[in-house]
Amino acid sequence: MWSRPMNLRLSSRIVLVFMLLSAALLTVVGLVSYFNPSVQSLALVSILALLAFTAPAVFLARTITRPLRALAETVRNFSREAGARPEPASSGDEVSLLAHEFELMGARVSARTAALSAESAERQAAQEGLLLRNSALLAAVNPIVIVDRRGLIQWVNPAFTKLTGYTDEEAIGQNPRVLKSGRHDQKFYKAMWQTILSGAIWQGEIINRRKDGSLYPEEMTITPVRDATDAITHFIVIKLDITARKEAEAAVEKLHRELLGVSRQAGMAEVATTVLHNVGNVLNSVNVSATLAAESIRNSGAEDVVRVAELLQEHAGDLPGFFARDPRGAEIPGFLAGLGAQFQAKQKMILREFGSLTANVEHIKEIVAMQQSYARVAGVTEVLPPAQLVEDALRLNAGALERHGVTVVREFEDVPPIAVDKHKVIQILVNLIRNAKYALDDAPQADKQLRLRICRNGGDRVRIEVRDNGVGIPAENLRRIFEHGFTTRRD
C-alpha cells in the first residue's frame, strides 16, 4: 500500500518500551533475588505480571496504530482522487505520517481553493459580460431576433415587440413567416436562405406585416452564427424600420415631380423672356439703323439742290452768261459734282442700313419661329455649314460691334456641314458674341478684338469658339455661369 516500508512505527515503539521496561524489571528482580533468596517468589510474580501486561500492550499498540494508518491512507487516496500527484510517504511513524499527509492535503486544498476561486472569478466575469450583452440587446433601439437553423425564433428583444406587435411569448417558437406581407415572391426568400446558409451575410429591404395586419418597410441584416466546429447553428436578425425614410423619399419624389412641372412652366417663361430679350436687341439694332438712315436723309443736301435750282430758274433766260459772268454760276458745276458724290455715299450707307433693317426684321421672324419650335418641344433640324451660322450671328451683332470699335478676327477651318437647329444655334452664338462685346466695353485697352474659331473637335464633332480680350470672368463666377438664370449684368 505504501510506497516504501515505514520504520519505527508507533506499535513497534510501544512494544519496545514495554520490552525495555520488562528487561529492566527482570534485571532488578534478578539482582534482588540473588542477594535475598526470600524474595524469589516476589520475583516470579513480577515476571508473570510483566508477561501478563506485555500482551495487552501489544494489542493496545495495534488498536491505536491501525486506525491511524487507515486514516493516513484515506487522506492519501483522497489526494489521488483530487488529481494531486502522490508524494513519497514519510519515514516516520503513523502519527508523523498522518500529520505529513494532512499537511500535504492542506497544501493541495489551498491550491485547489485558489484555482476554484480563479475559476469562480472568471465565471462571474463571464456571467457579468453575458448579462451586460443581454442588457444591451434588450435595450437596443433596433429590433433583434435570434433564429435557429430550422428557422424558428428563439429570442426577441422589446424593440421587436414594439415594431411588430408580437410579444416574446407569441414570437418564440414561431417561424418568421408570420411577418410575411405577400409582397415578395418565393424566389426572393429562396435567395435569402441560400445566402445565409452559405455563411454569408444577407442585407436588403423587405416589406413585412405587423400583428394588426398593417404593412411596414424595413431594412434587414441576417448574420449566421457558428459553433466551435464552424457549423452554422443560429442566425441573428437585426431590423431597421425605414417607414419614415420611405415617406421622406416619397415626399421628395412628389416634390421633384412638382418641381419638374414648375420647371417646365419656368422654361416656357424663360423662352418667352429670351425671345423678348432677343427681339428687343434686334429692335435696338433696327432703331439704330432707322435712325442712321433718317439722319442721312435729313443731311442729304436736298436744301442745297433746291437753292441751286432756284438760281438756275432765276437766270433761266441767260444761263450761258450766268455761268460765264456770275461767280456763283461758275461754282455750280463743281458743287453739283461734289453733291453727286455725297449722294452716292449716303445712298450706299442708307442701302446698307436698310439691308441691316431687313436682316434684323428677318431675324425677328426667325426668333418668333424659334419660340414656336420651343413651344412644340422639337425644332427643325437643318444641315448647314458652321461658317454660315457664325456669319449670321455676326451680322445680327454687326451694328453694335461696329459702333463699339470691335475688330472681328475669323479663324475658320475646313469642316463638314453639321445637322443643327439653326435658330437655337444662332441664339447661342448671338448671346456669346453679345457677352463678348460687353466684356470688351469694360476693357481698358483700345485694341478690342473678338476672335471666332471653327475647328474639328475629334471624330465628327465641330467646335465653335468665341474669344475676346476683354475683362474676362472672375474666378468665383467660373462655375456659377452654368447655373440657371445666373448673370452679372444688373440691367
Side-chain angles (χ1 to χ4, degrees), residues 298-329:
R298 281 195 296 269
N299 299 324
S300 62
E303 297 85 355
D304 296 333
V305 174
V306 171
R307 287 197 297 271
V308 170
E310 290 177 350
L311 285 174
L312 293 177
Q313 289 178 356
E314 184 181 344
H315 300 85
D318 189 15
L319 287 178
F322 174 71
F323 288 121
R325 294 186 297 273
D326 194 326
R328 294 179 298 173

PDB file of all heavy atoms in Angstrom, residues 298-329:
ATOM      1  N   ARG A 298     -31.900 113.308 -93.636  1.00  0.00           N
ATOM      2  CA  ARG A 298     -32.007 114.710 -93.230  1.00  0.00           C
ATOM      3  C   ARG A 298     -30.790 115.528 -93.650  1.00  0.00           C
ATOM      4  O   ARG A 298     -30.905 116.708 -93.977  1.00  0.00           O
ATOM      5  CB  ARG A 298     -32.195 114.785 -91.707  1.00  0.00           C
ATOM      6  CG  ARG A 298     -33.613 114.492 -91.241  1.00  0.00           C
ATOM      7  CD  ARG A 298     -33.809 114.937 -89.815  1.00  0.00           C
ATOM      8  NE  ARG A 298     -32.947 114.167 -88.903  1.00  0.00           N
ATOM      9  CZ  ARG A 298     -33.326 113.051 -88.309  1.00  0.00           C
ATOM     10  NH1 ARG A 298     -34.547 112.555 -88.539  1.00  0.00           N
ATOM     11  NH2 ARG A 298     -32.513 112.416 -87.507  1.00  0.00           N
ATOM     12  N   ASN A 299     -29.643 114.918 -93.645  1.00  0.00           N
ATOM     13  CA  ASN A 299     -28.406 115.620 -94.001  1.00  0.00           C
ATOM     14  C   ASN A 299     -27.954 115.279 -95.419  1.00  0.00           C
ATOM     15  O   ASN A 299     -26.752 115.296 -95.722  1.00  0.00           O
ATOM     16  CB  ASN A 299     -27.293 115.261 -93.006  1.00  0.00           C
ATOM     17  CG  ASN A 299     -27.639 115.656 -91.583  1.00  0.00           C
ATOM     18  OD1 ASN A 299     -28.281 116.693 -91.385  1.00  0.00           O
ATOM     19  ND2 ASN A 299     -27.219 114.850 -90.620  1.00  0.00           N
ATOM     20  N   SER A 300     -28.919 114.967 -96.253  1.00  0.00           N
ATOM     21  CA  SER A 300     -28.556 114.539 -97.615  1.00  0.00           C
ATOM     22  C   SER A 300     -28.138 115.708 -98.526  1.00  0.00           C
ATOM     23  O   SER A 300     -27.583 115.503 -99.598  1.00  0.00           O
ATOM     24  CB  SER A 300     -29.746 113.791 -98.239  1.00  0.00           C
ATOM     25  OG  SER A 300     -30.863 114.680 -98.346  1.00  0.00           O
ATOM     26  N   GLY A 301     -28.414 116.966 -98.159  1.00  0.00           N
ATOM     27  CA  GLY A 301     -28.096 118.115 -99.021  1.00  0.00           C
ATOM     28  C   GLY A 301     -29.213 118.499 -99.970  1.00  0.00           C
ATOM     29  O   GLY A 301     -28.983 119.196-100.972  1.00  0.00           O
ATOM     30  N   ALA A 302     -30.400 118.093 -99.695  1.00  0.00           N
ATOM     31  CA  ALA A 302     -31.536 118.417-100.569  1.00  0.00           C
ATOM     32  C   ALA A 302     -31.780 119.920-100.607  1.00  0.00           C
ATOM     33  O   ALA A 302     -32.176 120.488-101.654  1.00  0.00           O
ATOM     34  CB  ALA A 302     -32.776 117.673-100.084  1.00  0.00           C
ATOM     35  N   GLU A 303     -31.539 120.628 -99.498  1.00  0.00           N
ATOM     36  CA  GLU A 303     -31.738 122.081 -99.486  1.00  0.00           C
ATOM     37  C   GLU A 303     -30.789 122.783-100.461  1.00  0.00           C
ATOM     38  O   GLU A 303     -31.151 123.778-101.133  1.00  0.00           O
ATOM     39  CB  GLU A 303     -31.508 122.625 -98.064  1.00  0.00           C
ATOM     40  CG  GLU A 303     -32.498 122.098 -97.038  1.00  0.00           C
ATOM     41  CD  GLU A 303     -32.056 120.760 -96.465  1.00  0.00           C
ATOM     42  OE1 GLU A 303     -31.030 120.218 -96.956  1.00  0.00           O
ATOM     43  OE2 GLU A 303     -32.736 120.225 -95.570  1.00  0.00           O
ATOM     44  N   ASP A 304     -29.553 122.272-100.514  1.00  0.00           N
ATOM     45  CA  ASP A 304     -28.593 122.871-101.455  1.00  0.00           C
ATOM     46  C   ASP A 304     -29.062 122.683-102.893  1.00  0.00           C
ATOM     47  O   ASP A 304     -28.899 123.576-103.746  1.00  0.00           O
ATOM     48  CB  ASP A 304     -27.215 122.245-101.262  1.00  0.00           C
ATOM     49  CG  ASP A 304     -26.648 122.552 -99.884  1.00  0.00           C
ATOM     50  OD1 ASP A 304     -27.032 123.599 -99.308  1.00  0.00           O
ATOM     51  OD2 ASP A 304     -25.842 121.736 -99.372  1.00  0.00           O
ATOM     52  N   VAL A 305     -29.633 121.533-103.187  1.00  0.00           N
ATOM     53  CA  VAL A 305     -30.153 121.287-104.538  1.00  0.00           C
ATOM     54  C   VAL A 305     -31.272 122.268-104.849  1.00  0.00           C
ATOM     55  O   VAL A 305     -31.391 122.814-105.973  1.00  0.00           O
ATOM     56  CB  VAL A 305     -30.629 119.827-104.665  1.00  0.00           C
ATOM     57  CG1 VAL A 305     -31.296 119.611-106.017  1.00  0.00           C
ATOM     58  CG2 VAL A 305     -29.459 118.872-104.489  1.00  0.00           C
ATOM     59  N   VAL A 306     -32.107 122.494-103.824  1.00  0.00           N
ATOM     60  CA  VAL A 306     -33.222 123.433-104.044  1.00  0.00           C
ATOM     61  C   VAL A 306     -32.672 124.833-104.337  1.00  0.00           C
ATOM     62  O   VAL A 306     -33.164 125.556-105.237  1.00  0.00           O
ATOM     63  CB  VAL A 306     -34.145 123.449-102.821  1.00  0.00           C
ATOM     64  CG1 VAL A 306     -35.164 124.577-102.940  1.00  0.00           C
ATOM     65  CG2 VAL A 306     -34.848 122.096-102.681  1.00  0.00           C
ATOM     66  N   ARG A 307     -31.623 125.258-103.581  1.00  0.00           N
ATOM     67  CA  ARG A 307     -31.073 126.589-103.812  1.00  0.00           C
ATOM     68  C   ARG A 307     -30.438 126.704-105.211  1.00  0.00           C
ATOM     69  O   ARG A 307     -30.557 127.718-105.909  1.00  0.00           O
ATOM     70  CB  ARG A 307     -30.026 126.910-102.738  1.00  0.00           C
ATOM     71  CG  ARG A 307     -30.659 127.206-101.372  1.00  0.00           C
ATOM     72  CD  ARG A 307     -29.661 127.903-100.467  1.00  0.00           C
ATOM     73  NE  ARG A 307     -28.507 127.061-100.185  1.00  0.00           N
ATOM     74  CZ  ARG A 307     -28.433 126.213 -99.187  1.00  0.00           C
ATOM     75  NH1 ARG A 307     -29.477 126.107 -98.368  1.00  0.00           N
ATOM     76  NH2 ARG A 307     -27.365 125.496 -98.994  1.00  0.00           N
ATOM     77  N   VAL A 308     -29.750 125.668-105.625  1.00  0.00           N
ATOM     78  CA  VAL A 308     -29.153 125.677-106.980  1.00  0.00           C
ATOM     79  C   VAL A 308     -30.260 125.765-108.022  1.00  0.00           C
ATOM     80  O   VAL A 308     -30.151 126.493-109.037  1.00  0.00           O
ATOM     81  CB  VAL A 308     -28.280 124.436-107.178  1.00  0.00           C
ATOM     82  CG1 VAL A 308     -27.865 124.310-108.639  1.00  0.00           C
ATOM     83  CG2 VAL A 308     -27.045 124.495-106.276  1.00  0.00           C
ATOM     84  N   ALA A 309     -31.338 125.007-107.793  1.00  0.00           N
ATOM     85  CA  ALA A 309     -32.449 125.035-108.747  1.00  0.00           C
ATOM     86  C   ALA A 309     -33.065 126.419-108.829  1.00  0.00           C
ATOM     87  O   ALA A 309     -33.448 126.908-109.910  1.00  0.00           O
ATOM     88  CB  ALA A 309     -33.491 123.996-108.350  1.00  0.00           C
ATOM     89  N   GLU A 310     -33.171 127.072-107.671  1.00  0.00           N
ATOM     90  CA  GLU A 310     -33.730 128.433-107.670  1.00  0.00           C
ATOM     91  C   GLU A 310     -32.827 129.394-108.433  1.00  0.00           C
ATOM     92  O   GLU A 310     -33.299 130.269-109.173  1.00  0.00           O
ATOM     93  CB  GLU A 310     -33.908 128.902-106.225  1.00  0.00           C
ATOM     94  CG  GLU A 310     -35.026 128.170-105.477  1.00  0.00           C
ATOM     95  CD  GLU A 310     -35.113 128.603-104.038  1.00  0.00           C
ATOM     96  OE1 GLU A 310     -34.190 129.322-103.587  1.00  0.00           O
ATOM     97  OE2 GLU A 310     -36.080 128.212-103.353  1.00  0.00           O
ATOM     98  N   LEU A 311     -31.502 129.290-108.306  1.00  0.00           N
ATOM     99  CA  LEU A 311     -30.560 130.141-109.064  1.00  0.00           C
ATOM    100  C   LEU A 311     -30.697 129.910-110.560  1.00  0.00           C
ATOM    101  O   LEU A 311     -30.684 130.847-111.369  1.00  0.00           O
ATOM    102  CB  LEU A 311     -29.121 129.880-108.606  1.00  0.00           C
ATOM    103  CG  LEU A 311     -28.696 130.469-107.258  1.00  0.00           C
ATOM    104  CD1 LEU A 311     -27.296 130.000-106.890  1.00  0.00           C
ATOM    105  CD2 LEU A 311     -28.751 132.003-107.327  1.00  0.00           C
ATOM    106  N   LEU A 312     -30.813 128.645-110.909  1.00  0.00           N
ATOM    107  CA  LEU A 312     -30.930 128.339-112.330  1.00  0.00           C
ATOM    108  C   LEU A 312     -32.237 128.878-112.906  1.00  0.00           C
ATOM    109  O   LEU A 312     -32.282 129.372-114.051  1.00  0.00           O
ATOM    110  CB  LEU A 312     -30.838 126.824-112.536  1.00  0.00           C
ATOM    111  CG  LEU A 312     -29.467 126.190-112.218  1.00  0.00           C
ATOM    112  CD1 LEU A 312     -29.530 124.687-112.391  1.00  0.00           C
ATOM    113  CD2 LEU A 312     -28.372 126.792-113.128  1.00  0.00           C
ATOM    114  N   GLN A 313     -33.315 128.747-112.111  1.00  0.00           N
ATOM    115  CA  GLN A 313     -34.585 129.296-112.602  1.00  0.00           C
ATOM    116  C   GLN A 313     -34.523 130.821-112.701  1.00  0.00           C
ATOM    117  O   GLN A 313     -35.124 131.434-113.581  1.00  0.00           O
ATOM    118  CB  GLN A 313     -35.719 128.871-111.659  1.00  0.00           C
ATOM    119  CG  GLN A 313     -36.063 127.396-111.749  1.00  0.00           C
ATOM    120  CD  GLN A 313     -37.137 127.011-110.769  1.00  0.00           C
ATOM    121  OE1 GLN A 313     -37.556 127.858-109.968  1.00  0.00           O
ATOM    122  NE2 GLN A 313     -37.603 125.758-110.862  1.00  0.00           N
ATOM    123  N   GLU A 314     -33.792 131.417-111.737  1.00  0.00           N
ATOM    124  CA  GLU A 314     -33.673 132.884-111.750  1.00  0.00           C
ATOM    125  C   GLU A 314     -32.944 133.372-112.989  1.00  0.00           C
ATOM    126  O   GLU A 314     -33.256 134.443-113.524  1.00  0.00           O
ATOM    127  CB  GLU A 314     -32.938 133.339-110.487  1.00  0.00           C
ATOM    128  CG  GLU A 314     -32.826 134.851-110.342  1.00  0.00           C
ATOM    129  CD  GLU A 314     -32.084 135.242-109.101  1.00  0.00           C
ATOM    130  OE1 GLU A 314     -31.922 134.354-108.167  1.00  0.00           O
ATOM    131  OE2 GLU A 314     -31.645 136.388-108.989  1.00  0.00           O
ATOM    132  N   HIS A 315     -31.981 132.650-113.488  1.00  0.00           N
ATOM    133  CA  HIS A 315     -31.199 133.047-114.664  1.00  0.00           C
ATOM    134  C   HIS A 315     -31.480 132.117-115.834  1.00  0.00           C
ATOM    135  O   HIS A 315     -30.599 131.829-116.645  1.00  0.00           O
ATOM    136  CB  HIS A 315     -29.702 133.025-114.352  1.00  0.00           C
ATOM    137  CG  HIS A 315     -29.311 133.959-113.238  1.00  0.00           C
ATOM    138  ND1 HIS A 315     -29.378 133.631-111.905  1.00  0.00           N
ATOM    139  CD2 HIS A 315     -28.887 135.263-113.293  1.00  0.00           C
ATOM    140  CE1 HIS A 315     -28.985 134.646-111.174  1.00  0.00           C
ATOM    141  NE2 HIS A 315     -28.678 135.687-112.015  1.00  0.00           N
ATOM    142  N   ALA A 316     -32.711 131.669-115.897  1.00  0.00           N
ATOM    143  CA  ALA A 316     -33.050 130.737-116.976  1.00  0.00           C
ATOM    144  C   ALA A 316     -32.938 131.388-118.349  1.00  0.00           C
ATOM    145  O   ALA A 316     -32.631 130.729-119.340  1.00  0.00           O
ATOM    146  CB  ALA A 316     -34.479 130.218-116.765  1.00  0.00           C
ATOM    147  N   GLY A 317     -33.170 132.723-118.483  1.00  0.00           N
ATOM    148  CA  GLY A 317     -33.104 133.362-119.778  1.00  0.00           C
ATOM    149  C   GLY A 317     -31.688 133.560-120.285  1.00  0.00           C
ATOM    150  O   GLY A 317     -31.460 133.718-121.481  1.00  0.00           O
ATOM    151  N   ASP A 318     -30.697 133.519-119.414  1.00  0.00           N
ATOM    152  CA  ASP A 318     -29.305 133.742-119.848  1.00  0.00           C
ATOM    153  C   ASP A 318     -28.385 132.825-119.038  1.00  0.00           C
ATOM    154  O   ASP A 318     -27.513 133.268-118.292  1.00  0.00           O
ATOM    155  CB  ASP A 318     -28.923 135.207-119.656  1.00  0.00           C
ATOM    156  CG  ASP A 318     -27.569 135.546-120.277  1.00  0.00           C
ATOM    157  OD1 ASP A 318     -27.090 134.722-121.092  1.00  0.00           O
ATOM    158  OD2 ASP A 318     -26.997 136.565-119.875  1.00  0.00           O
ATOM    159  N   LEU A 319     -28.603 131.561-119.162  1.00  0.00           N
ATOM    160  CA  LEU A 319     -27.786 130.602-118.403  1.00  0.00           C
ATOM    161  C   LEU A 319     -26.321 130.641-118.825  1.00  0.00           C
ATOM    162  O   LEU A 319     -25.431 130.609-117.957  1.00  0.00           O
ATOM    163  CB  LEU A 319     -28.346 129.182-118.547  1.00  0.00           C
ATOM    164  CG  LEU A 319     -29.651 128.886-117.780  1.00  0.00           C
ATOM    165  CD1 LEU A 319     -30.106 127.464-118.059  1.00  0.00           C
ATOM    166  CD2 LEU A 319     -29.456 129.100-116.281  1.00  0.00           C
ATOM    167  N   PRO A 320     -26.015 130.786-120.164  1.00  0.00           N
ATOM    168  CA  PRO A 320     -24.585 130.828-120.517  1.00  0.00           C
ATOM    169  C   PRO A 320     -23.901 132.039-119.929  1.00  0.00           C
ATOM    170  O   PRO A 320     -22.770 131.961-119.427  1.00  0.00           O
ATOM    171  CB  PRO A 320     -24.617 130.872-122.035  1.00  0.00           C
ATOM    172  CG  PRO A 320     -25.894 130.215-122.404  1.00  0.00           C
ATOM    173  CD  PRO A 320     -26.860 130.633-121.355  1.00  0.00           C
ATOM    174  N   GLY A 321     -24.566 133.199-119.966  1.00  0.00           N
ATOM    175  CA  GLY A 321     -23.965 134.376-119.388  1.00  0.00           C
ATOM    176  C   GLY A 321     -23.834 134.239-117.878  1.00  0.00           C
ATOM    177  O   GLY A 321     -22.861 134.716-117.287  1.00  0.00           O
ATOM    178  N   PHE A 322     -24.830 133.585-117.226  1.00  0.00           N
ATOM    179  CA  PHE A 322     -24.780 133.389-115.768  1.00  0.00           C
ATOM    180  C   PHE A 322     -23.574 132.535-115.364  1.00  0.00           C
ATOM    181  O   PHE A 322     -22.848 132.847-114.415  1.00  0.00           O
ATOM    182  CB  PHE A 322     -26.085 132.753-115.293  1.00  0.00           C
ATOM    183  CG  PHE A 322     -26.077 132.386-113.825  1.00  0.00           C
ATOM    184  CD1 PHE A 322     -26.106 133.386-112.848  1.00  0.00           C
ATOM    185  CD2 PHE A 322     -26.016 131.063-113.433  1.00  0.00           C
ATOM    186  CE1 PHE A 322     -26.097 133.042-111.517  1.00  0.00           C
ATOM    187  CE2 PHE A 322     -26.010 130.733-112.101  1.00  0.00           C
ATOM    188  CZ  PHE A 322     -26.052 131.711-111.114  1.00  0.00           C
ATOM    189  N   PHE A 323     -23.338 131.461-116.161  1.00  0.00           N
ATOM    190  CA  PHE A 323     -22.191 130.597-115.844  1.00  0.00           C
ATOM    191  C   PHE A 323     -20.868 131.292-116.131  1.00  0.00           C
ATOM    192  O   PHE A 323     -19.873 131.052-115.442  1.00  0.00           O
ATOM    193  CB  PHE A 323     -22.269 129.285-116.631  1.00  0.00           C
ATOM    194  CG  PHE A 323     -23.347 128.352-116.125  1.00  0.00           C
ATOM    195  CD1 PHE A 323     -24.360 127.926-116.963  1.00  0.00           C
ATOM    196  CD2 PHE A 323     -23.344 127.924-114.808  1.00  0.00           C
ATOM    197  CE1 PHE A 323     -25.343 127.078-116.507  1.00  0.00           C
ATOM    198  CE2 PHE A 323     -24.345 127.071-114.376  1.00  0.00           C
ATOM    199  CZ  PHE A 323     -25.358 126.629-115.199  1.00  0.00           C
ATOM    200  N   ALA A 324     -20.898 132.209-117.156  1.00  0.00           N
ATOM    201  CA  ALA A 324     -19.640 132.839-117.563  1.00  0.00           C
ATOM    202  C   ALA A 324     -19.321 134.053-116.708  1.00  0.00           C
ATOM    203  O   ALA A 324     -18.157 134.286-116.353  1.00  0.00           O
ATOM    204  CB  ALA A 324     -19.711 133.239-119.033  1.00  0.00           C
ATOM    205  N   ARG A 325     -20.335 134.832-116.337  1.00  0.00           N
ATOM    206  CA  ARG A 325     -20.055 136.097-115.661  1.00  0.00           C
ATOM    207  C   ARG A 325     -20.289 136.036-114.154  1.00  0.00           C
ATOM    208  O   ARG A 325     -19.637 136.770-113.417  1.00  0.00           O
ATOM    209  CB  ARG A 325     -20.922 137.212-116.280  1.00  0.00           C
ATOM    210  CG  ARG A 325     -20.568 137.532-117.740  1.00  0.00           C
ATOM    211  CD  ARG A 325     -21.359 138.728-118.224  1.00  0.00           C
ATOM    212  NE  ARG A 325     -22.797 138.474-118.235  1.00  0.00           N
ATOM    213  CZ  ARG A 325     -23.449 137.925-119.245  1.00  0.00           C
ATOM    214  NH1 ARG A 325     -22.803 137.567-120.347  1.00  0.00           N
ATOM    215  NH2 ARG A 325     -24.757 137.758-119.190  1.00  0.00           N
ATOM    216  N   ASP A 326     -21.204 135.249-113.670  1.00  0.00           N
ATOM    217  CA  ASP A 326     -21.538 135.225-112.230  1.00  0.00           C
ATOM    218  C   ASP A 326     -20.659 134.175-111.522  1.00  0.00           C
ATOM    219  O   ASP A 326     -20.610 132.998-111.930  1.00  0.00           O
ATOM    220  CB  ASP A 326     -23.017 134.898-112.055  1.00  0.00           C
ATOM    221  CG  ASP A 326     -23.496 135.181-110.636  1.00  0.00           C
ATOM    222  OD1 ASP A 326     -22.691 134.992-109.662  1.00  0.00           O
ATOM    223  OD2 ASP A 326     -24.678 135.521-110.472  1.00  0.00           O
ATOM    224  N   PRO A 327     -19.908 134.590-110.469  1.00  0.00           N
ATOM    225  CA  PRO A 327     -19.069 133.603-109.724  1.00  0.00           C
ATOM    226  C   PRO A 327     -19.897 132.449-109.199  1.00  0.00           C
ATOM    227  O   PRO A 327     -19.420 131.313-109.118  1.00  0.00           O
ATOM    228  CB  PRO A 327     -18.475 134.425-108.596  1.00  0.00           C
ATOM    229  CG  PRO A 327     -18.560 135.843-109.053  1.00  0.00           C
ATOM    230  CD  PRO A 327     -19.753 135.946-109.931  1.00  0.00           C
ATOM    231  N   ARG A 328     -21.144 132.697-108.815  1.00  0.00           N
ATOM    232  CA  ARG A 328     -21.973 131.617-108.292  1.00  0.00           C
ATOM    233  C   ARG A 328     -22.249 130.584-109.365  1.00  0.00           C
ATOM    234  O   ARG A 328     -22.301 129.382-109.098  1.00  0.00           O
ATOM    235  CB  ARG A 328     -23.291 132.188-107.754  1.00  0.00           C
ATOM    236  CG  ARG A 328     -23.104 133.096-106.522  1.00  0.00           C
ATOM    237  CD  ARG A 328     -24.439 133.634-106.058  1.00  0.00           C
ATOM    238  NE  ARG A 328     -25.039 134.443-107.113  1.00  0.00           N
ATOM    239  CZ  ARG A 328     -26.277 134.932-107.052  1.00  0.00           C
ATOM    240  NH1 ARG A 328     -27.027 134.679-105.990  1.00  0.00           N
ATOM    241  NH2 ARG A 328     -26.749 135.685-108.031  1.00  0.00           N
ATOM    242  N   GLY A 329     -22.448 131.102-110.607  1.00  0.00           N
ATOM    243  CA  GLY A 329     -22.695 130.168-111.695  1.00  0.00           C
ATOM    244  C   GLY A 329     -21.473 129.334-111.990  1.00  0.00           C
ATOM    245  O   GLY A 329     -21.568 128.153-112.344  1.00  0.00           O
TER     246      GLY A 329
END
